[in-house]
């Protein structure tokens, strides 16, 4: 099964590679400075579109507590530990980490608006532990000899120009035996957002003020977000961050993250949980430990289809069955990236052509999910015919497990 999983991931990477946009060229044919993912968009508009509703701070802390437990990190163990967080956004998640009393807490970010909001939020909700230190730096340019018990990097690595290298840089700040936490996205988990993004880009123009684009899209996608149980982000922030922000590099799956850290780091936990290991602990040592990666890759390949809909968990499938699903989702993802560059009608038509075979494949394990995809297809065809959108029906409430978390232990 591991060999099948490996072939599946090779196919995924083949589909992913063309999504990387070519570097811009100047008038003399030389490379121009490339836009920096996240930072340039946020800075240009003076935004940090990652706010969360923390009016009920206790509930917010319960959510974060549940995440840490999923990842195999009992929150009590952070007391007295050293922690570095890359890309803390506006600091909402940092509030919980700070409340656990780390002895050292370093935050690294390059967005001036995000840094200012993080400072203000942490000052307003001062809890125990060492006072956090904030370093204004691009993550990939950050250097330090210090190593940490816990390394956090949420919502940052996918769509970097080289996510694997970016991850290895971040993970390198973990001390031996320390834990690295990151987030991943792939074309399956992010499919529903990609399909919304396609229409959002079709309905707006890049030369329009950002807030005008947001206001135009709120009536279209606001009802979708209203249906999402547990939603804590302002709708406008979600639209900016997921539908309008330029993507400069590929998505980054859990399997690709595991491959990037193979050897020096061992998979530890995940959210959602999908890792299971039935080996006897007395047999797990030296080369046997390397099989942890293979078991995790096999589990991903057998369960990747359950990332399509956050409301459902499907029975595992053979990896070769899921390979076709991944290929179709990858192809749709490539079209969405291409449409962002060209705004070409041909890319919309290609997505329409891909949706029917995708719905047929999905129908093998979920007729309801297949119906939702066909209802989106009807909306897309309507837009191609008359330029309007509406009548999403059950697709409106379809959201995948868009962002997944993984934790790794750095080996000695």
């Amino acid at each position: 099964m591991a060999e099948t999983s490996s072939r599946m991931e090779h196919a995924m990477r083949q589909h992913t590679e063309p999504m990387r946009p070519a570097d811009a060229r100047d008038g003399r044919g030389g490379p121009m400075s490339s836009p920096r993912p996240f930072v340039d968009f946020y800075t240009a508009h003076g935004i940090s579109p990652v706010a969360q509703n923390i009016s009920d701070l206790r509930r917010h802390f319960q959510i974060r507590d549940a995440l840490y437990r999923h990842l195999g990190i009992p929150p009590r163990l952070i007391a007295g530990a050293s922690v570095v967080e890359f890309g803390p956004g506006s600091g909402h998640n940092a509030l919980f980490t700070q409340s656990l009393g780390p002895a050292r807490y370093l935050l690294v970010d390059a967005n001036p608006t995000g840094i200012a909001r993080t400072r203000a939020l942490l000052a307003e909700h001062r809890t125990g532990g060492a006072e956090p230190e904030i370093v204004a730096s691009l993550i990939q340019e950050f250097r330090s000899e210090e190593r940490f018990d816990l390394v956090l990097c949420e919502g940052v690595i996918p769509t970097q120009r080289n996510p694997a290298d970016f991850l290895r840089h971040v993970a390198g700040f973990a001390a031996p035996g320390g834990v690295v936490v990151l987030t991943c996205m792939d074309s399956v988990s992010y499919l529903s957002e990609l399909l919304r993004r396609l229409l959002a880009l079709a309905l707006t123009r890049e030369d329009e003020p950002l807030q005008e684009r947001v206001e135009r899209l709120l009536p279209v996608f606001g009802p979708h977000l209203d249906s999402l149980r547990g939603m804590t982000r302002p709708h406008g922030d979600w639209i900016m961050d997921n539908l309008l922000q330029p993507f400069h590099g590929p998505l980054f799956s859990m399997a690709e993250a595991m491959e990037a850290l193979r050897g020096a780091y061992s998979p530890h936990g995940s959210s959602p949980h999908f890792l299971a290991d039935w080996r006897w602990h007395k047999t797990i040592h030296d080369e046997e430990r390397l099989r942890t990666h293979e078991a995790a890759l096999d589990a991903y390949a057998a369960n990747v289809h359950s990332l399509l809909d956050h409301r459902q968990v499907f029975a595992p499938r053979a990896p070769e069955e899921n390979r076709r699903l991944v290929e179709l989702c990858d192809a749709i993802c490539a079209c969405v990236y291409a449409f962002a560059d060209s705004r070409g009608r041909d890319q919309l038509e290609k997505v329409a052509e891909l949706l029917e075979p995708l719905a047929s494949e999905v129908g093998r394990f979920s007729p309801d999910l297949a119906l939702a995809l066909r209802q989106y297809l009807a909306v897309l065809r309507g837009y191609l015919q008359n330029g309007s959108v509406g009548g999403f029906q059950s697709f409106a409430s379809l959201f995948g497990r868009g962002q997944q978390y993984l934790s790794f232990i750095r080996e000695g």
Side-chain angles (χ1 to χ4, degrees), residues 222-280:
H224 298 206
L225 298 171
D226 284 335
S227 73
L228 189 55
R229 180 174 172 264
M231 180 68 167
T232 60
R233 294 177 66 182
H235 291 182
D237 278 15
W238 189 92
I239 287 172
M240 287 183 207
D241 214 27
N242 288 276
L243 304 187
L244 297 177
Q245 177 180 190
F247 287 173
H248 299 291
L251 303 181
F252 192 55
S253 73
M254 290 190 285
E256 289 169 314
M258 287 184 278
E259 291 287 4
L261 295 184
R262 181 188 287 273
Y265 303 79
S266 293
H268 180 52
S270 68
S271 184
H273 270 313
F274 74 97
L275 302 175
D277 191 340
W278 286 87
R279 291 175 296 167
W280 189 27

Side-chain angles (χ1 to χ4, degrees), residues 251-408:
L251 303 181
F252 192 55
S253 73
M254 290 190 285
E256 289 169 314
M258 287 184 278
E259 291 287 4
L261 295 184
R262 181 188 287 273
Y265 303 79
S266 293
H268 180 52
S270 68
S271 184
H273 270 313
F274 74 97
L275 302 175
D277 191 340
W278 286 87
R279 291 175 296 167
W280 189 27
H281 71 279
K282 291 187 178 182
T283 68
I284 303 175
H285 53 82
D286 299 334
E287 69 278 357
E288 178 70 16
R289 184 170 292 175
L290 299 177
R291 289 183 53 200
T292 304
H293 276 268
E294 301 305 331
L297 287 167
D298 288 346
Y300 172 81
N303 292 283
V304 63
H305 59 297
S306 281
L307 300 180
L308 278 169
D309 188 342
H310 77 284
R311 301 163 299 184
Q312 302 185 69
V313 178
F314 304 110
R317 303 174 80 206
E320 56 269 21
E321 293 177 342
N322 274 340
R323 185 167 59 248
R324 173 61 175 163
L325 172 71
V326 171
E327 288 172 348
L328 288 166
C329 290
D330 276 348
I332 289 174
C333 185
C335 290
V336 175
Y337 271 68
F339 182 75
D341 290 336
S342 69
R343 295 300 198 274
R345 180 185 174 91
D346 60 323
Q347 298 301 327
L348 298 175
E349 292 171 342
K350 286 180 183 177
V351 171
E353 292 172 3
L354 289 163
L355 277 167
E356 183 52 48
L358 176 61
S360 296
E361 181 63 33
V362 168
R364 296 174 182 269
F365 56 87
S366 176
D368 290 343
L369 185 50
L371 175 62
L373 293 174
R374 290 189 172 102
Q375 288 168 342
Y376 174 91
L377 175 57
V379 172
L380 179 57
R381 284 173 173 161
Y383 174 80
L384 287 168
Q385 291 170 4
N386 55 42
S388 63
V389 299
F392 286 95
Q393 301 181 72
S394 64
F395 178 83
S397 59
L398 174 60
F399 287 87
R401 291 179 166 87
Q403 180 172 268
Q404 313 94 52
Y405 286 77
L406 281 177
S407 63
F408 292 83

Side-chain angles (χ1 to χ4, degrees), residues 3 48 57 61 89 105 121 252 324 340 359 369 379:
E3 183 181 354
S48 180
L57 192 59
F61 280 14
Y105 193 9
L121 195 65
F252 192 55
R324 173 61 175 163
L369 185 50
V379 172

Side-chain angles (χ1 to χ4, degrees), residues 65-344:
D65 180 273
L67 172 64
Y68 277 28
R69 291 170 187 269
H70 251 195
L71 295 172
I73 307 170
R76 182 68 182 85
L77 293 185
I78 296 176
S82 60
V83 180
V84 60
E85 181 171 357
F86 293 101
S90 295
H92 294 81
N93 294 335
L95 284 178
F96 176 69
T97 306
Q98 170 62 17
S99 76
L100 299 174
R104 169 87 163 117
Y105 193 9
L106 183 67
L107 302 159
V108 181
D109 207 326
N111 176 20
T113 300
I115 290 173
R117 292 181 182 176
T118 297
R119 287 190 194 279
L121 195 65
L122 290 174
E124 179 184 354
H125 298 274
R126 189 74 176 90
T127 57
E131 183 173 353
E133 177 186 348
I134 300 178
V135 175
S137 170
L138 287 171
I139 296 169
Q140 56 269 48
E141 294 181 1
F142 177 75
R143 299 291 185 273
S144 174
E145 295 300 316
E146 188 174 4
R147 295 297 178 262
F148 297 83
D149 300 315
L150 177 62
V151 176
L152 302 169
C153 191
E154 300 181 43
V156 176
I157 297 174
T159 75
Q160 295 291 336
R161 293 185 182 279
N162 190 325
D165 282 353
F166 194 100
L167 168 57
R168 284 188 284 264
H169 172 69
V170 164
F173 292 100
V179 176
V180 179
V181 171
L182 65 138
T183 52
C184 300
M185 297 190 308
D186 60 39
S187 64
V188 180
S189 72
Y190 206 57
L191 178 69
S192 61
E193 280 90 339
L194 287 167
L195 294 175
R196 291 182 176 92
R197 182 178 177 86
L198 184 71
L199 288 175
L201 295 175
L203 292 168
T204 59
R205 300 194 319 272
E206 283 187 288
D207 60 355
E208 294 177 290
L210 178 62
Q211 196 55 46
E212 288 185 15
R213 286 185 277 166
V214 171
E215 293 299 324
R216 184 175 306 160
L217 296 176
L218 276 169
V220 180
F221 298 111
H224 298 206
L225 298 171
D226 284 335
S227 73
L228 189 55
R229 180 174 172 264
M231 180 68 167
T232 60
R233 294 177 66 182
H235 291 182
D237 278 15
W238 189 92
I239 287 172
M240 287 183 207
D241 214 27
N242 288 276
L243 304 187
L244 297 177
Q245 177 180 190
F247 287 173
H248 299 291
L251 303 181
F252 192 55
S253 73
M254 290 190 285
E256 289 169 314
M258 287 184 278
E259 291 287 4
L261 295 184
R262 181 188 287 273
Y265 303 79
S266 293
H268 180 52
S270 68
S271 184
H273 270 313
F274 74 97
L275 302 175
D277 191 340
W278 286 87
R279 291 175 296 167
W280 189 27
H281 71 279
K282 291 187 178 182
T283 68
I284 303 175
H285 53 82
D286 299 334
E287 69 278 357
E288 178 70 16
R289 184 170 292 175
L290 299 177
R291 289 183 53 200
T292 304
H293 276 268
E294 301 305 331
L297 287 167
D298 288 346
Y300 172 81
N303 292 283
V304 63
H305 59 297
S306 281
L307 300 180
L308 278 169
D309 188 342
H310 77 284
R311 301 163 299 184
Q312 302 185 69
V313 178
F314 304 110
R317 303 174 80 206
E320 56 269 21
E321 293 177 342
N322 274 340
R323 185 167 59 248
R324 173 61 175 163
L325 172 71
V326 171
E327 288 172 348
L328 288 166
C329 290
D330 276 348
I332 289 174
C333 185
C335 290
V336 175
Y337 271 68
F339 182 75
D341 290 336
S342 69
R343 295 300 198 274

